[in-house]
Amino acid sequence: MSLPLIEEGAKKSNVLWLVLPSGPRLAWHVWHDGAICLVTGGGEQSLPGLAEAAEVEVVLRSKDNGAELVRFPAAVEVVDQASAPDVVAALARERLNAPDAAGLPARWAERSAVVRLVPRPAVSS
């Protein structure tokens, strides 16, 4: 796994695949401060079990042809939204077609989980 490849892939496409216990799920995200950040629940994308997981498998695909670019494990960290307004702001800027764009941060704080997915280093054998 190459962190520069993950960063490049995450920045070029605003969607990725997560391998969750309920099955693979497509999710929109932003790359922010060395991690993939996303919102789940509360009227946003449904990613069952993500906020409770310790780790998740992430698949980034090429925006050009859809081929798998990189697959890697990532640590799951639930963000304290009150102490991370920069993460919330980055997500709010990229949230397309929100019916309540001005109210996103308040709605997320009340009803959603903001999650950071931090790529785990590859283990050498």
Side-chain angles (χ1 to χ4, degrees):
M1 170 190 75
S2 161
L3 190 56
L5 177 62
I6 291 170
E7 181 175 358
E8 181 181 347
K11 284 180 174 180
K12 282 189 176 180
S13 177
N14 60 351
V15 296
L16 52 70
W17 287 92
L18 299 174
V19 181
L20 300 171
S22 59
R25 297 285 180 125
L26 184 66
W28 70 271
H29 71 280
V30 297
W31 179 265
H32 180 75
D33 197 22
I36 291 167
C37 300
L38 46 82
V39 182
T40 182
E44 294 297 334
Q45 55 200 347
S46 177
L47 303 169
L50 177 62
E52 297 77 27
E55 186 174 276
V56 67
E57 185 174 22
V58 179
V59 179
L60 296 174
R61 296 192 170 277
S62 167
K63 191 171 183 175
D64 297 329
N65 61 19
E68 187 173 301
L69 185 62
V70 63
R71 179 182 295 252
F72 59 94
V76 177
E77 300 174 356
V78 176
V79 173
D80 176 358
Q81 296 178 52
S83 64
D86 57 323
V87 174
V88 174
L91 284 161
R93 276 192 304 275
E94 297 300 320
R95 172 62 168 90
L96 301 177
N97 304 317
D100 60 341
L104 282 177
R107 179 166 55 88
W108 290 347
E110 184 179 318
R111 302 182 0 215
S112 303
V114 171
V115 178
R116 290 180 79 237
L117 304 178
V118 181
R120 292 222 191 248
V123 177
S124 301
S125 47

